[in-house]
């Protein structure tokens, strides 16, 4: 299964990416990889920081490079879920040029007003990148990651003004990918639900039709 997840920031891509466990394939989140690089203050992380903090996209050349390297790893040979890549037409073209044949591009649709509400409650594990929500996906113990025990914090780019900028970027730069994959007969659309489990059910049902 080679799958990409499309959708606005906060639409629930990262949460639905957990279905990779069902398929026994890795999830590759460019957002998590970039945040990790920022935390470790690598050269790439330092370059990326200004863009991320402003709610802008990191330049295509940088992101394409990290994805190409990651997809060449052994664990990707039976498939993968890409969360947050491609986000622009040039990134989608680069992915095709890498020889990747996707099974499906799944778009999770959530209205903008709903997104803004959701983002204020989002919390992320600083250690492993797992994501939670103060109302919709609470950890067993407050502010502690279920998976690794790391501390949960609010991402700086989840501040309301930055969220609005990211939505704008999504509509102008990423949404055209729906038409791009529709033209290839690969697009599937799922309406994001209030309850995570409901969205997961719709996602799995959409993927059933692919295979
Ligand atoms: P979101 O909640 O917006 O889906 P992510 O965690 O996927 O957030 O990404 C956070 C930030 O990392 C983005 O706002 C952007 O600056 C950068 N980023 C992640 N993936 C990409 C990409 N494919 N191309 C460019 N920038 C990216
Ligand atoms: Zn964790």
């Amino acid at each position: 299964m080679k799958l990409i997840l499309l959708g606005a920031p906060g639409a629930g891509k990262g949460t639905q990416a957990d279905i990779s466990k069902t398929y026994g394939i890795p999830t590759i989140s460019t957002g998590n990889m970039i945040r990790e690089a920022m935390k470790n203050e690598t050269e790439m992380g330092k370059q990326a920081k200004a863009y991320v903090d402003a709610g802008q996209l990191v330049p295509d050349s940088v992101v394409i490079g990290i994805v190409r390297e990651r997809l060449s790893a052994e664990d990707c040979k039976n498939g993968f879920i890409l969360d947050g890549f491609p986000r622009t037409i040039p990134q989608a073209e680069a992915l095709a040029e890498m020889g990747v044949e996707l099974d499906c591009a799944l778009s999770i649709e959530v209205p903008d007003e709903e997104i803004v509400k959701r983002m204020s409650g989002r919390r992320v594990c600083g250690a492993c990148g797992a994501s939670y929500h103060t109302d919709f996906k609470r950890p067993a113990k407050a502010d502690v990651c279920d998976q690794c025990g790391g501390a949960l914090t609010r991402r700086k780019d989840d501040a309301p003004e930055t969220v609005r900028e990211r939505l704008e970027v999504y509509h102008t730069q990423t949404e055209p990918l729906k038409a791009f994959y529709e033209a290839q007969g690969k697009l599937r659309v799922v309406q994001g639900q209030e309850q995570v489990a409901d969205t997961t059910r719709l996602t799995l049902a959409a993927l059933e039709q692919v295979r």
Side-chain angles (χ1 to χ4, degrees), residues 120-171:
S120 60
R122 178 152 80 168
R123 298 292 179 273
V124 177
C125 173
C128 78
S131 133
Y132 299 85
H133 195 282
T134 51
D135 298 320
F136 307 121
K137 195 184 177 211
R138 295 202 187 105
K141 190 166 169 240
D143 301 323
V144 179
C145 178
D146 290 343
Q147 290 177 26
C148 79
L152 305 184
T153 54
R154 183 180 187 173
R155 273 165 47 179
K156 193 176 171 193
D157 62 339
D158 280 349
E161 323 75 70
T162 316
V163 169
R164 270 186 282 276
E165 174 63 26
R166 286 161 63 202
L167 280 170
E168 175 77 29
V169 168
Y170 169 73
H171 290 302

Side-chain angles (χ1 to χ4, degrees), residues 172-192:
T172 54
Q173 303 200 54
T174 306
E175 215 165 15
L177 289 175
K178 291 196 316 196
F180 180 92
Y181 288 114
E182 172 88 87
Q184 300 176 11
K186 303 234 162 111
L187 184 71
R188 297 287 180 282
V189 174
V190 162
Q191 302 298 325

Side-chain angles (χ1 to χ4, degrees), residues 11 16-17 21 23 30 42 45 47 57 91-92 100 112 116 123 125-126 141 143 170 184 191 193-194:
Q16 293 305 320
K21 289 170 195 148
Y23 291 99
T30 45
T42 67
Q47 276 178 37
L57 295 182
Q91 290 180 17
V100 171
D112 284 7
V116 176
R123 298 292 179 273
C125 173
K141 190 166 169 240
D143 301 323
Y170 169 73
Q184 300 176 11
Q191 302 298 325
Q193 306 293 309
E194 189 147 302

Side-chain angles (χ1 to χ4, degrees), residues 7-11 13-14 29-32 34-35 38 48-49 51-60 63-64 66-67 83-88 91 119 122 155 157-158 162 166 169:
K13 300 185 296 292
S29 159
T30 45
N32 284 353
I34 291 167
R35 274 187 292 283
M38 283 164 54
K49 191 176 184 328
Y51 296 99
V52 174
D53 286 350
Q56 296 288 330
L57 295 182
V58 173
D60 286 337
V63 184
I64 290 166
I66 60 175
V67 170
D83 164 16
F85 183 95
R87 249 182 165 92
T88 63
Q91 290 180 17
M119 298 301 245
R122 178 152 80 168
R155 273 165 47 179
D157 62 339
D158 280 349
T162 316
R166 286 161 63 202
V169 168

